[in-house]
Amino acid sequence: MKLLPSIKLALKNIRSSKLRAVLTMLGIIIGVSSVIALVSIGQSSTQSVAQQINSLGTNLLSVNVMDTSEGQLKESDVDSFKKLYGVKDAAPAVNGRITAVNGKTSTQVSLIGTTESYQNIRDTKVANGRFLADIDNEYREKIAVLGSDTATTLFGADNPVGKEVQLNGNSYKVVGVLESKGSSIGQSGDSVIIVPLSTAQRVLGTTDIQSVYVQAQNANVLTFVQNELERSLMPLFHNNTDSYSVTNQQDVLDTMSSVSKTMTMLLGGIASISLLVGGIGIMNIMFVSVSERTKEIGIRKAIGAKRKDILMQFLIESIVLSGLGGIIGVGVGFIAIKIYAVITNTSVTFSPPFTFIAFGFSLVVGVVFGVFPANKASKLHPIQALRFE
């Protein structure tokens, strides 16, 4: 039996029972579309996490103090970090929550006290005005750089540069507005106010430095710099390594990417179960089709059809069913991705490799689950088939 006539005959049989064919393909359609949609969304989430971590800065190491009872970091310690081999720059930071007021508008925002180095280390860009300068920290100037969301909340569409803003009841001159950075690992980078380190310490009532952002000269020396920082911190905190942490940006990226990929594969695996369920549905309906067309099989064998012809006829019909379900599933999956992107206002990348894998798997399902009913049909005795009622 030739391939093209067999495909035409299979399509004819499918058209004769459209509703049954659609119900049979439903499992394949759901399986293929689910695999495509979930894997594409998962891969896009992985890329988004990587972008968020990279937006924190390049070749970045973060030193965080968890227990100040064992030791404290001072500006002099940060200056010593800058002298370590492989270190390009370092920026201290203190953090807190404050109330910012402009006229009758007030909002709770994150206050960051830091130095001029913070801008380059954290890849922070200024949309209007300027960033902090070291002289601002030296003279404890009452100036502020607003995040984009903070500027919009307090000043609306007006340009806040040169105007005053109240921080915990004290007036500060706005010297700059940052470009929007979006959210990074669940935290908004736009709902902030940045002031000089010495000024923030006075506002928050502390002289301790909570965090230090260290920029390595290149990615090749990140691990070396991390070890040097840990070696420098140990005597400052009486060898209590639980009091502080040194985080390598690349380690965070690798961990988050690994988790995202694992979740993507898990979701893809769960969705693939629908393909197996669809395969069982195809097998059941093909057994029914063999029973309904027993006399047809008997007639075909009586006029000279061989066993392999009958086998191929039903096997091709099973593959056509699963193939059509796979094609429809690809379309449904693509539509699902677009709908998800519109609803969540995110960018979702269509994954061609997994699309081909899902479609190919649907064809394999058609072959595997179509073999049993096709084999049964091919083994029917022509005389018994003709007598079948």
Side-chain angles (χ1 to χ4, degrees), residues 91-217:
V94 295
N95 302 274
R97 296 287 293 181
I98 60 166
T99 300
V101 180
N102 175 42
K104 296 182 179 180
T105 304
S106 65
T107 182
Q108 283 278 329
V109 296
S110 297
L111 179 73
I112 299 175
T114 188
T115 60
E116 182 180 0
S117 299
Y118 183 92
Q119 182 178 13
N120 291 327
I121 294 175
R122 296 298 302 272
D123 194 25
T124 303
K125 295 179 175 60
V126 177
N128 291 311
R130 67 174 179 88
F131 197 71
L132 306 178
D134 284 337
I135 195 171
D136 298 324
N137 180 52
E138 184 178 347
Y139 287 100
R140 299 187 178 183
E141 295 287 351
K142 288 187 175 182
I143 62 170
V145 179
L146 308 184
S148 59
D149 286 351
T150 304
T152 302
T153 301
L154 294 175
F155 293 92
D158 296 338
N159 183 3
V161 176
K163 298 180 180 179
E164 299 286 330
V165 64
Q166 299 287 322
L167 304 182
N168 282 358
N170 296 313
S171 293
Y172 287 75
K173 182 180 179 181
V174 178
V175 297
V177 177
L178 303 177
E179 289 185 0
S180 176
K181 292 191 70 171
S183 297
S184 297
I185 319 180
Q187 296 182 346
S188 174
D190 299 327
S191 184
V192 298
I193 293 180
I194 301 177
V195 300
L197 177 67
S198 57
T199 305
Q201 289 175 327
R202 183 173 56 194
V203 172
L204 299 174
T206 180
T207 58
D208 299 331
I209 294 172
Q210 300 162 345
S211 304
V212 180
Y213 300 105
V214 179
Q215 186 180 36
Q217 292 176 354

Side-chain angles (χ1 to χ4, degrees), residues 1 6 9-10 12-13 16 20 288-306 309-310 313-314 317 377 380-382 384-389:
M1 179 178 286
S6 298
L9 180 61
K12 181 181 178 181
N13 291 328
S16 64
R20 187 170 73 178
V288 172
S289 181
V290 170
S291 298
E292 291 178 345
R293 294 158 59 187
T294 300
K295 280 193 174 182
E296 174 193 330
I297 296 168
I299 293 171
R300 288 174 62 86
K301 282 198 167 186
I303 61 175
K306 297 179 181 179
D309 297 327
I310 303 299
Q313 175 190 342
F314 282 90
E317 188 169 326
L380 288 174
H381 195 279
Q384 292 176 345
L386 289 170
R387 287 177 177 176
F388 183 79
E389 293 295 337

Side-chain angles (χ1 to χ4, degrees), residues 275-327:
L275 284 172
L276 297 178
V277 174
I280 295 172
I282 288 177
M283 183 172 65
N284 289 337
I285 209 66
M286 290 305 297
F287 274 125
V288 172
S289 181
V290 170
S291 298
E292 291 178 345
R293 294 158 59 187
T294 300
K295 280 193 174 182
E296 174 193 330
I297 296 168
I299 293 171
R300 288 174 62 86
K301 282 198 167 186
I303 61 175
K306 297 179 181 179
R307 179 184 172 184
K308 68 175 183 178
D309 297 327
I310 303 299
L311 179 70
M312 289 302 298
Q313 175 190 342
F314 282 90
L315 189 57
I316 288 172
E317 188 169 326
S318 174
I319 295 172
V320 169
L321 266 174
S322 61
L324 285 174
I327 292 171

Side-chain angles (χ1 to χ4, degrees), residues 25 38 58 90 97 101 145 203 224 232 243 248 296 298 320 332 335 360 364 371 384 388:
M25 292 186 294
L38 291 176
T58 56
R97 296 287 293 181
V101 180
V145 179
V203 172
F224 177 82
S232 300
S243 300
N248 186 328
E296 174 193 330
V320 169
V332 172
I335 293 171
V364 172
V371 165
Q384 292 176 345
F388 183 79

Side-chain angles (χ1 to χ4, degrees), residues 259-279:
V259 170
S260 297
K261 288 177 181 177
T262 301
M263 290 301 298
T264 299
M265 297 305 296
L266 178 62
L267 292 173
I270 294 172
S272 299
I273 296 175
S274 298
L275 284 172
L276 297 178
V277 174

